[in-house]
Amino acid sequence: MNISSVFQNNEKWIAEKLAGDEDYFTKLSQGQQPEFLYIGCSDSRVTAEDLMGVKPGEVFVHRNIANLVNNVDLNVMSVLNYAVRHLKVNHVVVCGHYNCGGVKAAMEPVDLGILNPWLRNIRDVYRYHKDELNAIEDVKARYDRLVELNVEEQCVNLIKTAAIQEAFRERGVRVHGWVFDVRTGKLIDLKINFEEKMRSIMEIYNLYEPVSMVK
């Protein structure tokens, strides 16, 4: 792959789309109404559109190292607020993946310079669940489990936000946790209980009255 081939591929893609629908780009330019916000990893092997089988305009995408939802990251918070409050998505997905380099780096006692503050979020996930993780003797299985737990914790981070709580109250928005298995191509639903997770944190993180928003 080189720069010239990228533009050649673009021309082929345009021709294919127009062959199927001569008004394809006219329709595409009229706006977007995605059903999903997808928060995934920046890993080049894990592209939201491909693994979900969706077309342009159907999913709003944010990607960063290890699919984190960090409340002091203005990038992910801006994407979340725009998607939920303006585009009115009904489903917010955090999608991790096995063989994640960010998660693996967080498991190793190594100084990674500028990455340290970012990876500390994953190391904190390990700290929250260290008893479960340390009980897993197989390193690969422990690695996979940390990937899953990281997704779960990022879903909880979403539930802590005003945007999600407001959208849940007003139209029943849902948060989902998925993992993509790069070894098989399968997309795995972790079946995170959204309402249960919300109930478990509302005493502290509820941003709306009454406290019993989720009974």
Side-chain angles (χ1 to χ4, degrees):
M1 177 66 69
N2 54 47
I3 295 295
S4 62
S5 63
V6 168
F7 287 94
Q8 290 171 6
N9 290 340
N10 175 249
E11 292 297 331
K12 291 178 183 177
W13 177 72
I14 293 171
E16 289 171 359
K17 292 301 182 183
L18 293 178
D21 180 359
E22 62 182 13
D23 296 321
Y24 180 84
F25 293 105
T26 300
K27 296 173 183 175
L28 196 65
S29 67
Q30 292 173 350
Q32 58 175 327
Q33 291 182 308
E35 184 73 6
F36 293 87
L37 165 60
Y38 171 100
I39 300 173
C41 184
S42 297
D43 193 298
S44 62
R45 301 166 295 176
V46 187
T47 58
E49 293 82 358
D50 286 338
L51 64 91
M52 293 176 69
V54 296
K55 296 176 291 187
E58 293 182 340
V59 58
F60 200 65
V61 178
H62 174 80
R63 297 169 68 185
N64 61 45
I65 294 174
N67 42 271
L68 297 187
V69 180
N70 187 330
N71 71 299
V72 296
D73 176 10
L74 293 181
N75 195 335
V76 69
M77 288 295 108
S78 297
V79 169
L80 172 65
N81 276 269
Y82 183 71
V84 172
R85 287 176 162 158
H86 297 279
L87 296 179
K88 305 293 185 182
V89 299
N90 290 311
H91 299 277
V92 180
V93 174
V94 177
C95 186
H97 68 98
Y98 297 133
N99 289 15
C100 178
V103 172
K104 185 176 182 180
M107 293 177 67
E108 299 172 348
V110 178
D111 180 357
L112 295 170
I114 191 64
L115 283 175
N116 287 338
W118 191 260
L119 296 180
R120 190 178 73 176
N121 296 279
I122 309 171
R123 289 176 175 139
D124 282 342
V125 174
Y126 201 122
R127 178 168 60 87
Y128 302 152
H129 301 277
K130 66 178 183 178
D131 292 340
E132 175 186 350
L133 290 166
N134 289 343
I136 302 173
E137 296 183 2
D138 181 75
V139 175
K140 177 179 172 299
R142 190 187 309 144
Y143 178 15
D144 285 354
R145 183 56 180 150
L146 182 54
V147 167
E148 297 169 353
L149 290 170
N150 183 52
V151 168
E152 183 175 330
E153 289 295 336
Q154 304 318 310
C155 288
V156 172
N157 286 342
L158 282 170
I159 296 168
K160 294 174 183 176
T161 66
I164 291 294
Q165 292 181 24
E166 178 185 56
F168 172 76
R169 184 182 60 175
E170 293 182 352
R171 64 178 190 279
V173 74
R174 285 293 184 273
V175 173
H176 310 270
W178 300 347
V179 172
F180 178 65
D181 190 343
V182 297
R183 300 164 300 209
T184 65
K186 290 186 178 180
L187 191 60
I188 301 162
D189 186 352
L190 297 179
K191 300 187 184 301
I192 291 172
N193 190 320
F194 173 68
E195 287 84 358
E196 182 180 288
K197 292 292 183 186
M198 181 169 279
R199 281 193 298 270
S200 72
I201 67 170
M202 277 300 101
E203 181 179 355
I204 300 171
Y205 293 101
N206 185 17
L207 302 179
Y208 294 90
E209 293 293 342
V211 172
S212 57
M213 183 177 73
V214 180
K215 297 180 180 179

